[in-house]
Amino acid sequence: MITVAIIGSGNLATHLIKAFLSSNDVKLIQVVNRTKSNISYLAGDIKITDDIEQLQPADVTIIAISDDAIKDFSKRLNTTSLVVHTSGTISLKALKGDYRKGVFYPLQTMSKDRKVSFKKIPICLETSDEKDLSLLTKLASSISNHTYYLDSDQRKKLHLAAVFANNFVNHMYTQAHEICESNNIPFEILQPLIRETAKKIKTLSPEEAQTGPAARNNSVTIKKQKAQLADDQLAIYTTITNSILKSSQKNHE
Amino acid sequence: MITVAIIGSGNLATHLIKAFLSSNDVKLIQVVNRTKSNISYLAGDIKITDDIEQLQPADVTIIAISDDAIKDFSKRLNTTSLVVHTSGTISLKALKGDYRKGVFYPLQTMSKDRKVSFKKIPICLETSDEKDLSLLTKLASSISNHTYYLDSDQRKKLHLAAVFANNFVNHMYTQAHEICESNNIPFEILQPLIRETAKKIKTLSPEEAQTGPAARNNSVTIKKQKAQLADDQLAIYTTITNSILKSSQKNHE
């Protein structure tokens, strides 16, 4: 049984608390948050406090607070625990206290409204001391079937890749949505295409899966489509089309 | 029973032939293709020919050839059929012969390698004569559960929206793939995120689903991430980030 304390009350903290509470291999002993009312819903089940001085010793203490606050906050911790943060962009070295250090980064987009099943969410781990890795792996495996070891630089790059694969992809959906709305086309027509596009790259590389006017170097259609766009949508269309044109040329050389 | 003739042997023609052959409401009576060897695999089951003069009368004749060839080819048809093309970008008016005209456009990305289930593929219909719409709706419903009526301008806009939602999305996957490969990060870590991103917009609008550094107006992270990119990836990052920044500002006003 691994004992865990969690600091924070945001999306990730909330989902982690729920996941650990239903795991048989983990005992969540305490949740700490500076605004106690945000965690008062837990009061019947676990010890809660708004005073970091009251932090109890656990096998692992998880700091699930905003990226910018991690460094300063970490200096205030005085504990015998392995202390981990949960950020994709912050280095392991940002943890500044006198304790064993690690990172516990679940890669997923989490909204409060959507249910999260941790089983399929990859958790990326890092530890300063190699012997802590098995403890952290055990903890991650208690809620997820997919654990990876990445160093701080790889994690930063993964986070950057996720900006393309998630944030930028979603902004493409936004453009498609806008084009549909302003032409009285039900957006639902695009839903099967969107899901097939995401599924396709399970078996094909994205390079192999590329289709469309730019991939076919169809300059007539590209010109016609540009003429239908303005402002940001035209800028996006032009930048991405030029990049696809270059990639396809490279692949055919 | 609706009788159908198909002209063409590309991806879409191949998938349509397969779908109609397994439908009980449709009788595929003939397949025409200028290169007979491409359709010879059908010879046992259906009449095939490479001579357009031999085209047999059917309720619906489907021209499933490349966009650029539709207009010229359509002039050569002499038939009592309802003649439809299958293109997202070509107007109904591109059909030039002396016959009833329509459009039968299935919106999906089709690769020869991937199985296609038409049941979930939206089929967008248009006819020059309103009384042909019920025939075309019946034909579409025989293979798909999702049929829509769109005029030529809407269909053109839908195709443009699909370029964003499919081609451009896939190019974002390509960038994520490249970043992973060049940093020895298994691309599979991103797969659950990619699928969740696509699923999320079934219940949230893409505007509501937007997350990430630009949506949070986190200029520190944006600056750090730009510093890790060059060339096309930097151009894409900058263009899309600027557009997200503007959209988020608009939504918060």
Side-chain angles (χ1 to χ4, degrees), chain B residues 34-51:
Chain B
R34 61 180 169 188
T35 311
K36 206 170 172 181
S37 59
N38 291 355
I39 50 170
S40 56
Y41 73 99
L42 293 163
D45 304 314
I46 335 166
K47 285 184 193 158
I48 62 168
T49 179
D50 54 4
D51 179 5

PDB file of all heavy atoms in Angstrom, chain B residues 34-51:
ATOM      1  N   ARG B  34     -12.292   3.586 -68.406  1.00  0.00           N
ATOM      2  CA  ARG B  34     -11.525   3.621 -69.665  1.00  0.00           C
ATOM      3  C   ARG B  34     -10.408   2.580 -69.684  1.00  0.00           C
ATOM      4  O   ARG B  34     -10.010   2.104 -70.723  1.00  0.00           O
ATOM      5  CB  ARG B  34     -10.982   5.034 -69.925  1.00  0.00           C
ATOM      6  CG  ARG B  34     -10.046   5.513 -68.856  1.00  0.00           C
ATOM      7  CD  ARG B  34      -9.514   6.899 -69.099  1.00  0.00           C
ATOM      8  NE  ARG B  34      -8.837   7.347 -67.884  1.00  0.00           N
ATOM      9  CZ  ARG B  34      -8.390   8.558 -67.672  1.00  0.00           C
ATOM     10  NH1 ARG B  34      -8.533   9.491 -68.591  1.00  0.00           N
ATOM     11  NH2 ARG B  34      -7.786   8.872 -66.546  1.00  0.00           N
ATOM     12  N   THR B  35      -9.880   2.232 -68.511  1.00  0.00           N
ATOM     13  CA  THR B  35      -8.904   1.142 -68.443  1.00  0.00           C
ATOM     14  C   THR B  35      -9.624  -0.089 -67.901  1.00  0.00           C
ATOM     15  O   THR B  35      -9.920  -0.179 -66.712  1.00  0.00           O
ATOM     16  CB  THR B  35      -7.722   1.506 -67.521  1.00  0.00           C
ATOM     17  OG1 THR B  35      -7.261   2.810 -67.891  1.00  0.00           O
ATOM     18  CG2 THR B  35      -6.589   0.509 -67.647  1.00  0.00           C
ATOM     19  N   LYS B  36      -9.904  -1.017 -68.810  1.00  0.00           N
ATOM     20  CA  LYS B  36     -10.771  -2.140 -68.440  1.00  0.00           C
ATOM     21  C   LYS B  36     -10.131  -3.035 -67.378  1.00  0.00           C
ATOM     22  O   LYS B  36     -10.822  -3.597 -66.522  1.00  0.00           O
ATOM     23  CB  LYS B  36     -11.110  -2.956 -69.701  1.00  0.00           C
ATOM     24  CG  LYS B  36     -12.423  -3.709 -69.601  1.00  0.00           C
ATOM     25  CD  LYS B  36     -12.815  -4.281 -70.957  1.00  0.00           C
ATOM     26  CE  LYS B  36     -14.011  -5.198 -70.878  1.00  0.00           C
ATOM     27  NZ  LYS B  36     -14.327  -5.738 -72.218  1.00  0.00           N
ATOM     28  N   SER B  37      -8.815  -3.133 -67.413  1.00  0.00           N
ATOM     29  CA  SER B  37      -8.149  -4.048 -66.476  1.00  0.00           C
ATOM     30  C   SER B  37      -8.377  -3.638 -65.013  1.00  0.00           C
ATOM     31  O   SER B  37      -8.358  -4.478 -64.120  1.00  0.00           O
ATOM     32  CB  SER B  37      -6.644  -4.100 -66.780  1.00  0.00           C
ATOM     33  OG  SER B  37      -6.087  -2.802 -66.674  1.00  0.00           O
ATOM     34  N   ASN B  38      -8.620  -2.328 -64.770  1.00  0.00           N
ATOM     35  CA  ASN B  38      -8.851  -1.874 -63.394  1.00  0.00           C
ATOM     36  C   ASN B  38     -10.166  -2.367 -62.807  1.00  0.00           C
ATOM     37  O   ASN B  38     -10.359  -2.328 -61.595  1.00  0.00           O
ATOM     38  CB  ASN B  38      -8.860  -0.334 -63.323  1.00  0.00           C
ATOM     39  CG  ASN B  38      -7.484   0.251 -63.574  1.00  0.00           C
ATOM     40  OD1 ASN B  38      -6.509  -0.486 -63.712  1.00  0.00           O
ATOM     41  ND2 ASN B  38      -7.405   1.566 -63.648  1.00  0.00           N
ATOM     42  N   ILE B  39     -11.089  -2.788 -63.682  1.00  0.00           N
ATOM     43  CA  ILE B  39     -12.388  -3.258 -63.178  1.00  0.00           C
ATOM     44  C   ILE B  39     -12.655  -4.713 -63.554  1.00  0.00           C
ATOM     45  O   ILE B  39     -13.731  -5.237 -63.294  1.00  0.00           O
ATOM     46  CB  ILE B  39     -13.552  -2.361 -63.676  1.00  0.00           C
ATOM     47  CG1 ILE B  39     -13.476  -2.159 -65.206  1.00  0.00           C
ATOM     48  CG2 ILE B  39     -13.526  -0.991 -62.995  1.00  0.00           C
ATOM     49  CD1 ILE B  39     -14.715  -1.487 -65.793  1.00  0.00           C
ATOM     50  N   SER B  40     -11.640  -5.361 -64.123  1.00  0.00           N
ATOM     51  CA  SER B  40     -11.851  -6.739 -64.586  1.00  0.00           C
ATOM     52  C   SER B  40     -12.167  -7.681 -63.417  1.00  0.00           C
ATOM     53  O   SER B  40     -12.785  -8.725 -63.623  1.00  0.00           O
ATOM     54  CB  SER B  40     -10.634  -7.231 -65.362  1.00  0.00           C
ATOM     55  OG  SER B  40      -9.496  -7.114 -64.554  1.00  0.00           O
ATOM     56  N   TYR B  41     -11.769  -7.307 -62.203  1.00  0.00           N
ATOM     57  CA  TYR B  41     -12.066  -8.145 -61.027  1.00  0.00           C
ATOM     58  C   TYR B  41     -13.578  -8.296 -60.820  1.00  0.00           C
ATOM     59  O   TYR B  41     -14.039  -9.182 -60.110  1.00  0.00           O
ATOM     60  CB  TYR B  41     -11.404  -7.575 -59.767  1.00  0.00           C
ATOM     61  CG  TYR B  41     -12.055  -6.314 -59.222  1.00  0.00           C
ATOM     62  CD1 TYR B  41     -12.947  -6.366 -58.152  1.00  0.00           C
ATOM     63  CD2 TYR B  41     -11.778  -5.053 -59.777  1.00  0.00           C
ATOM     64  CE1 TYR B  41     -13.555  -5.219 -57.658  1.00  0.00           C
ATOM     65  CE2 TYR B  41     -12.375  -3.903 -59.279  1.00  0.00           C
ATOM     66  CZ  TYR B  41     -13.260  -3.995 -58.224  1.00  0.00           C
ATOM     67  OH  TYR B  41     -13.858  -2.874 -57.741  1.00  0.00           O
ATOM     68  N   LEU B  42     -14.379  -7.408 -61.464  1.00  0.00           N
ATOM     69  CA  LEU B  42     -15.837  -7.453 -61.293  1.00  0.00           C
ATOM     70  C   LEU B  42     -16.530  -8.314 -62.343  1.00  0.00           C
ATOM     71  O   LEU B  42     -17.732  -8.590 -62.239  1.00  0.00           O
ATOM     72  CB  LEU B  42     -16.407  -6.030 -61.401  1.00  0.00           C
ATOM     73  CG  LEU B  42     -16.035  -5.054 -60.287  1.00  0.00           C
ATOM     74  CD1 LEU B  42     -16.316  -3.621 -60.724  1.00  0.00           C
ATOM     75  CD2 LEU B  42     -16.821  -5.397 -59.014  1.00  0.00           C
ATOM     76  N   ALA B  43     -15.773  -8.756 -63.350  1.00  0.00           N
ATOM     77  CA  ALA B  43     -16.365  -9.338 -64.564  1.00  0.00           C
ATOM     78  C   ALA B  43     -17.361 -10.458 -64.290  1.00  0.00           C
ATOM     79  O   ALA B  43     -18.376 -10.573 -64.985  1.00  0.00           O
ATOM     80  CB  ALA B  43     -15.264  -9.818 -65.498  1.00  0.00           C
ATOM     81  N   GLY B  44     -17.137 -11.263 -63.304  1.00  0.00           N
ATOM     82  CA  GLY B  44     -18.057 -12.370 -63.020  1.00  0.00           C
ATOM     83  C   GLY B  44     -19.424 -11.892 -62.540  1.00  0.00           C
ATOM     84  O   GLY B  44     -20.447 -12.516 -62.818  1.00  0.00           O
ATOM     85  N   ASP B  45     -19.447 -10.763 -61.816  1.00  0.00           N
ATOM     86  CA  ASP B  45     -20.665 -10.319 -61.138  1.00  0.00           C
ATOM     87  C   ASP B  45     -21.498  -9.298 -61.921  1.00  0.00           C
ATOM     88  O   ASP B  45     -22.716  -9.309 -61.854  1.00  0.00           O
ATOM     89  CB  ASP B  45     -20.299  -9.679 -59.789  1.00  0.00           C
ATOM     90  CG  ASP B  45     -19.491 -10.630 -58.923  1.00  0.00           C
ATOM     91  OD1 ASP B  45     -19.902 -11.808 -58.825  1.00  0.00           O
ATOM     92  OD2 ASP B  45     -18.455 -10.214 -58.378  1.00  0.00           O
ATOM     93  N   ILE B  46     -20.830  -8.379 -62.622  1.00  0.00           N
ATOM     94  CA  ILE B  46     -21.543  -7.277 -63.274  1.00  0.00           C
ATOM     95  C   ILE B  46     -21.002  -7.099 -64.690  1.00  0.00           C
ATOM     96  O   ILE B  46     -19.868  -7.464 -64.987  1.00  0.00           O
ATOM     97  CB  ILE B  46     -21.290  -5.920 -62.558  1.00  0.00           C
ATOM     98  CG1 ILE B  46     -20.922  -6.134 -61.084  1.00  0.00           C
ATOM     99  CG2 ILE B  46     -22.485  -5.002 -62.684  1.00  0.00           C
ATOM    100  CD1 ILE B  46     -20.345  -4.899 -60.458  1.00  0.00           C
ATOM    101  N   LYS B  47     -21.813  -6.430 -65.526  1.00  0.00           N
ATOM    102  CA  LYS B  47     -21.320  -6.063 -66.850  1.00  0.00           C
ATOM    103  C   LYS B  47     -20.261  -4.991 -66.695  1.00  0.00           C
ATOM    104  O   LYS B  47     -20.454  -4.012 -65.962  1.00  0.00           O
ATOM    105  CB  LYS B  47     -22.463  -5.497 -67.698  1.00  0.00           C
ATOM    106  CG  LYS B  47     -23.413  -6.558 -68.202  1.00  0.00           C
ATOM    107  CD  LYS B  47     -24.453  -5.927 -69.122  1.00  0.00           C
ATOM    108  CE  LYS B  47     -25.583  -6.921 -69.360  1.00  0.00           C
ATOM    109  NZ  LYS B  47     -26.814  -6.263 -69.780  1.00  0.00           N
ATOM    110  N   ILE B  48     -19.141  -5.128 -67.399  1.00  0.00           N
ATOM    111  CA  ILE B  48     -18.128  -4.072 -67.397  1.00  0.00           C
ATOM    112  C   ILE B  48     -17.785  -3.698 -68.833  1.00  0.00           C
ATOM    113  O   ILE B  48     -17.928  -4.525 -69.749  1.00  0.00           O
ATOM    114  CB  ILE B  48     -16.838  -4.499 -66.651  1.00  0.00           C
ATOM    115  CG1 ILE B  48     -16.181  -5.714 -67.343  1.00  0.00           C
ATOM    116  CG2 ILE B  48     -17.112  -4.806 -65.189  1.00  0.00           C
ATOM    117  CD1 ILE B  48     -14.776  -5.996 -66.840  1.00  0.00           C
ATOM    118  N   THR B  49     -17.386  -2.440 -69.009  1.00  0.00           N
ATOM    119  CA  THR B  49     -16.979  -2.007 -70.352  1.00  0.00           C
ATOM    120  C   THR B  49     -16.007  -0.844 -70.265  1.00  0.00           C
ATOM    121  O   THR B  49     -15.981  -0.132 -69.258  1.00  0.00           O
ATOM    122  CB  THR B  49     -18.198  -1.581 -71.209  1.00  0.00           C
ATOM    123  OG1 THR B  49     -17.741  -1.145 -72.500  1.00  0.00           O
ATOM    124  CG2 THR B  49     -18.927  -0.409 -70.559  1.00  0.00           C
ATOM    125  N   ASP B  50     -15.195  -0.668 -71.303  1.00  0.00           N
ATOM    126  CA  ASP B  50     -14.337   0.511 -71.365  1.00  0.00           C
ATOM    127  C   ASP B  50     -14.860   1.494 -72.426  1.00  0.00           C
ATOM    128  O   ASP B  50     -14.221   2.492 -72.727  1.00  0.00           O
ATOM    129  CB  ASP B  50     -12.881   0.142 -71.661  1.00  0.00           C
ATOM    130  CG  ASP B  50     -12.740  -0.699 -72.919  1.00  0.00           C
ATOM    131  OD1 ASP B  50     -13.767  -0.931 -73.610  1.00  0.00           O
ATOM    132  OD2 ASP B  50     -11.620  -1.148 -73.209  1.00  0.00           O
ATOM    133  N   ASP B  51     -16.041   1.184 -72.967  1.00  0.00           N
ATOM    134  CA  ASP B  51     -16.607   2.011 -74.037  1.00  0.00           C
ATOM    135  C   ASP B  51     -17.839   2.749 -73.526  1.00  0.00           C
ATOM    136  O   ASP B  51     -18.893   2.155 -73.303  1.00  0.00           O
ATOM    137  CB  ASP B  51     -16.977   1.099 -75.212  1.00  0.00           C
ATOM    138  CG  ASP B  51     -17.587   1.889 -76.361  1.00  0.00           C
ATOM    139  OD1 ASP B  51     -17.627   3.137 -76.280  1.00  0.00           O
ATOM    140  OD2 ASP B  51     -18.044   1.248 -77.329  1.00  0.00           O
TER     141      ASP B  51
END
